[in-house]
Amino acid sequence: MTPDELLAARDRTVPDVVADGLSVLLCGINPSLMTGATGHHFAHPGNRFWPVLHRSGFTPRLLNPAEQSELLRYGLGITNVVARATARADELSAEEFREGGRILAAKAEWLRPRWLAVVGVTAYRTAFGRRTARIGPQDHTIGGARVWVLPNPSGLNAHWTIRTMAEEYARLRAVVEQEGPTDA
């Protein structure tokens, strides 16, 4: 991928990977330029989403971004708080996050996932006005879905390792498994 191809992906949107009645709708912050260029979620080579998802037990093998539709087989989907691609999340305004939160709530109501897992606590705080939110399960629902905030798997997030992120993702997976299959 050339630098010009990446720059051309700025502000592109990437289709969600969703279905009705998912166990977990995973929600990224917004697409990276690599994701915008390829059309595959969490496509940047430095993003640790796919290894973390596998190590946490959500997928039986390590998927690559081009296999994102396989997530539906496991009751998982992907969307974003803000739809447009940028080089960094700090290029997004607070209003974009708030509007994205409203859209995400409507999407959750329409798709009816059991859990909405927002990947990135700062994005979650801004989008939903929950300034004191922390990683883990939240005490409210969004669009009828229970909410769990997960650490951001971006390579820029040095506070979390693949191992510690996988442990947190596995906490959510354990709850989902304990609940059993969805009714969808």
Side-chain angles (χ1 to χ4, degrees), residues 2-23:
T2 69
D4 287 342
E5 289 171 318
L6 284 177
L7 286 176
R10 182 174 301 283
D11 297 326
R12 281 190 192 157
T13 60
V14 177
D16 293 339
V17 177
V18 295
D20 188 45
L22 296 166
S23 293

Side-chain angles (χ1 to χ4, degrees), residues 6-164:
L6 284 177
L7 286 176
R10 182 174 301 283
D11 297 326
R12 281 190 192 157
T13 60
V14 177
D16 293 339
V17 177
V18 295
D20 188 45
L22 296 166
S23 293
V24 181
L25 179 57
L26 295 150
C27 182
I29 297 170
N30 76 304
S32 68
L33 294 180
M34 182 67 76
T35 290
T38 64
H40 304 303
H41 291 273
F42 299 99
H44 191 281
N47 195 296
R48 301 167 294 177
F49 175 79
W50 297 101
V52 166
L53 205 61
H54 172 60
R55 284 192 183 190
S56 69
F58 271 116
T59 61
R61 65 178 179 84
L62 178 60
L63 301 175
N64 68 58
E67 296 176 295
Q68 63 189 15
S69 64
E70 291 290 310
L71 292 176
L72 297 174
R73 294 176 48 193
Y74 308 117
L76 305 173
I78 304 177
T79 189
N80 288 288
V81 175
V82 176
R84 73 180 184 96
T86 61
R88 295 176 52 103
D90 62 9
E91 296 175 39
L92 303 170
S93 70
E95 181 50 39
E96 284 180 284
F97 278 110
R98 288 188 293 271
E99 176 63 17
R102 289 187 287 273
I103 292 168
L104 183 57
K107 201 175 290 189
E109 189 171 338
W110 173 58
L111 292 170
R112 301 177 304 117
R114 206 178 320 156
W115 285 93
L116 175 63
V118 180
V119 178
V121 69
T122 302
Y124 173 76
R125 288 173 180 158
T126 305
F128 296 101
R130 302 281 180 156
R131 294 186 318 222
T132 60
R134 299 196 180 281
I135 297 293
Q138 305 302 301
D139 63 359
H140 67 284
T141 62
I142 294 175
R146 287 171 286 170
V147 180
W148 198 295
V149 177
L150 294 168
N152 179 357
S154 167
L156 300 175
N157 181 1
H159 300 292
W160 290 80
T161 65
I162 288 178
R163 182 185 58 77
T164 58

